[in-house]
Amino acid sequence: MGFSQLLFSWTAIIPVIVLLYYFFRKKYTDQTVSSTLFWSEIMQETRVSPYLKHLQKNALLYLQLLALLLLVLALMNPYVKKSTIVGAQTIFIVDTSATMSAGKEQSTFDTHKKEMLSLVNELDGRPVTLITTGNTPKAIIQQETNTKNIEKAIQELQVTYETAQMNKALDVAQAFVGNTPTSIYVFTDSLDKKQLPMEKDTVKWIVKGSEKDLTNIAITRFAATTDGQSAMALVQLQNDTDQEQTVTLSIENVKGKEVIAESVALPPNEAITKTFKDLPLEDTMTAKIDAKDDYAVDNSQTVLLQTTTSKIVVDQSMHQLIQKGLQTINSSVKIVPSSQMADNRDATLVTNQTALLEKMDKPIVLFGRDDVEKIEATGEVGITSDALLAFSELKDIYVSALYPGFNDYKTIASVGDQPFIQRSPKGDIVVLADIADTDWPLHPSFPLFLWSAEQELSESIGSLGIFTPNEQRAVAITQGDWSIYSQEDEFLSSITNGLLTAPMKPGIYTARSNDEEKRFIVQLQAQERVIEKGTSYTLGELPDNGKEEISKASFVPWFILIILVLLVLEWEVQRRRGFTN
């Protein structure tokens, strides 16, 4: 503590003058007393409480002296030293992952926002860069000195539910440092010291973590499958507390109707797995627990039963480019001799055996035909609007020969007047040409066609699959205007050129066009279902030109407030004694 205006210390003489005035003032007044009958009683009361009588008699003196002393101190401007932000610039790295929404009275994210807003008052004109984490870190503001713009950017921050990927954000921050002495504040829940790049001696790291005693009970895994008649579900629960917890685990359909519920006892710091069989057949299921913990986002998880990926089996007689292309897209693709293709009834087949179109229950991909002869083809390739060709424009492809098409199949691509690619009513995909008779593999549309076919046949046509928050992914959909809607039928965004950007919050969503709709779900990644113990620390020191600065928190406003209160008390004492006295 110190004084910045010692020059005004001479004013201490003022309360001394008031005190001297009281020493020399008249201490009594002449008054005629008609009787001394009550004198002994009055003296007895005085002896019993002399200090109280003294205080009552001299209250005005003490109040005036205290007010004058505080006024003298206020003129000398007392202050307390408080360290402030160091360095020539400041960088805020803000973790916006899902675990930042954990907290007791308020979330870790909201706590950090308040800390950032309080630090803004200590900037003293320093430029600020604000970086948020995620798959693609973003610099929300860069080298900003306007306090209002900084505060606005902080207040607009929100949890994006993406995995932090802190290393990427740290790399972005390093790009703004250069050789400038910099304070980098990392607002996260937990960060290992080993992750901080300590190569530069011009950086001071201040890591702000979450509370250390947060509790969490999570659904870490939820899977469901069906045999076409009923469904089976598997749920894995994790208890990260030190006490046994009892929760109610329920499974609901897309309409929120409870399919099954069960009370589950979870041992401390252990995971258990529950399996449910013979469940009603639903296309969407959501597992929920009613846990009383500090992190609610991981208390539910949703799956689409249609998204179960099937095996892909390729006929050994297929061209090497087809085999290698599919294996590049899906590493689990198997190459099987032609005679054994019919034995793989549970897989998606890629072959030229026309007879399998009728034998197999699941749709297959037919490249060429083995039951008819091909004929010469002339003309340009034309296509129709179809999800399979959403990324395969098939421009400038040369096709020298084609097999005859199927009469009751839908033609989605043609060469001149002849069918080139067809769909069966069952969903089979038929390419009526041998790869050796085209230059298609030389064009980018060929691997894109294989990818679209694999996506369409290994997943249900009615769904787009599982996404992580804010994930961008190309999806196989027909051309046209597609929009994304929430479960409450609220419009969220549009799909542009087949590129879908998943919504931020986990849940069930619908992609909808004029005459078609497909569901998809957004799920937290596995690492966002675990809360780590919070860590806060400081690393690194800045050189002399970036040394820590000191701010002065003045007591004057508090002194003025107390002086005003004392003046009111003096007025009340004087009023009770009578202003005329």
Side-chain angles (χ1 to χ4, degrees), residues 28 63 242 280 301:
Y28 61 88
L63 290 172
D242 295 328
Q301 190 170 341

Side-chain angles (χ1 to χ4, degrees), residues 90 92 116-117 119-121 123 125-130 140-157:
T90 304
F92 291 160
M116 283 185 279
L117 289 171
L119 287 171
V120 170
N121 298 323
L123 291 173
R126 293 179 181 80
V128 172
T129 299
L130 177 59
I140 306 299
I141 53 174
Q142 302 179 29
Q143 301 293 307
E144 182 62 62
T145 56
N146 188 298
T147 301
K148 290 185 178 179
N149 292 341
I150 298 171
E151 290 178 344
K152 181 182 178 183
I154 293 173
Q155 289 168 349
E156 291 177 351
L157 291 174

Side-chain angles (χ1 to χ4, degrees), residues 13 116 176 190 269 340 346 390 405 449 460:
I13 195 173
M116 283 185 279
F176 287 98
S190 178
N269 296 305
Q340 299 177 14
D346 61 337
F449 174 83
S460 169

